[in-house]
Amino acid sequence: MRTHVVDHPLVAHKLTTLRDKRTDSPTFRRLADELVTLLAYEATRDVRTEQVDIATPVTETTGVRLSSPKPLVVPILRAGLGMLEGMVRLLPTAEVGFLGMIRDEETLQASTYATRMPDDLSGRQVYVLDPMLATGGTLVAAIKELISRGADDVTALCLLAAPEGVEVMERELAGTPVTVVTASVDERLNDLGYIVPGLGDAGDRMYGTAG
C-alpha cells in the first residue's frame, strides 16, 4: 500500500479551517468540497488514458482522453457524500457507486448496510471517498468488498488519517494495489477512536447531529 500526503499551502490552509471547532457546517462543507478537489488532482495522477486524434482550429494533433471502462467513484455513506461533488467535478465522466457502512462505537468494527455498485469491477479504477482514516476498519472492509468484485486498482481519498489506521490498512491489505491520498497523517487516535488533533466527527460537522 502507498500513502501519499499532499503537501501544498492551499491544502494546509483549508485543513486548518476545517479543524477549527468554530467553523460552522455550511463553511465546513464548502471547504471540504474544495479540499477534495485538490486531493483528487493528486489522486488521479495515474488515471488511465488513451490516445485520440483531434482537429484543433489550426491543425490536426494527438491528445489523450480517459480510457474505458470509466473510473468508479464510491463515497462511503454518510460522510463520504460530502466529498462526492468535489471528486466528480474533476472526473465528470466517472460513474458513481455507493457503499453504506456503520462503525460499532464499542468494538470499532465496521459492517455494511447498503451497496449500490456494479457486480463486476474488473479492469476499473475505483476511488473511495471517506473523510477520516481513523482505526482503518471501515476502509479495510470497503476495499475488501471492492476487491471481491474484481477491482484491481483502488485509491482512497481521506481528509485526514491516523498512523494506527494506516498501519491497519498496510497489514490487512498487504499485497493489494491500494493507494491512500490524504491531506495529513495526524499524531494518533484517542481512546474513543478519534483522530488527534483531527477535526472531530466529519459527518456531524458536515450535516449536524440529527438522527
Side-chain angles (χ1 to χ4, degrees):
M1 191 188 83
R2 184 172 71 95
T3 302
H4 177 47
V5 179
V6 179
D7 182 15
H8 192 284
L10 287 178
V11 169
H13 167 73
K14 295 179 189 300
L15 180 57
T16 298
T17 307
L18 288 174
R19 291 188 191 275
D20 192 333
K21 66 180 183 180
R22 298 171 297 179
T23 301
D24 59 24
S25 289
T27 304
F28 191 97
R29 287 195 299 269
R30 176 177 59 81
L31 288 172
D33 175 79
E34 294 172 359
L35 180 54
V36 169
T37 299
L38 294 173
L39 296 179
Y41 180 80
E42 291 295 329
T44 55
R45 186 173 294 276
D46 296 323
V47 69
R48 294 168 185 163
T49 60
E50 59 188 15
Q51 286 192 340
V52 58
D53 295 326
I54 62 169
T56 77
V58 179
T59 188
E60 295 183 350
T61 188
T62 300
V64 298
R65 66 183 176 194
L66 298 186
S67 58
S68 295
K70 297 177 180 178
L72 182 70
V73 177
V74 181
I76 298 179
L77 306 178
R78 72 177 166 153
L81 278 177
M83 303 173 68
L84 179 58
E85 186 173 344
M87 185 70 188
V88 298
R89 181 181 299 114
L90 206 64
L91 275 179
T93 61
E95 295 182 347
V96 178
F98 295 94
L99 187 55
M101 308 199 76
I102 190 167
R103 186 178 75 162
D104 187 301
E105 295 303 326
E106 293 185 2
T107 66
L108 303 182
Q109 296 300 307
S111 58
T112 302
Y113 66 85
T115 58
R116 183 71 175 180
M117 295 185 297
D119 291 332
D120 186 6
L121 298 177
S122 302
R124 301 188 74 164
Q125 289 179 292
V126 183
Y127 297 90
V128 185
L129 310 180
D130 192 13
M132 314 296 283
L133 170 49
T135 63
T138 299
L139 265 180
V140 165
I143 292 171
K144 284 184 175 180
E145 173 67 24
L146 296 171
I147 291 172
S148 73
R149 296 175 182 236
D152 61 1
D153 188 336
V154 179
T155 299
L157 278 75
C158 307
L159 302 181
L160 288 180
E164 294 91 336
V166 172
E167 182 179 345
V168 166
M169 288 190 65
E170 289 175 341
R171 182 177 67 249
E172 296 293 326
L173 300 172
T176 60
V178 176
T179 300
V180 173
V181 177
T182 184
S184 174
V185 176
D186 277 9
E187 296 174 10
R188 59 184 174 85
L189 291 178
N190 65 15
D191 293 340
L192 299 176
Y194 284 92
I195 299 174
V196 178
L199 49 76
D201 186 296
D204 287 350
R205 295 199 63 193
M206 284 181 185
Y207 304 116
T209 58

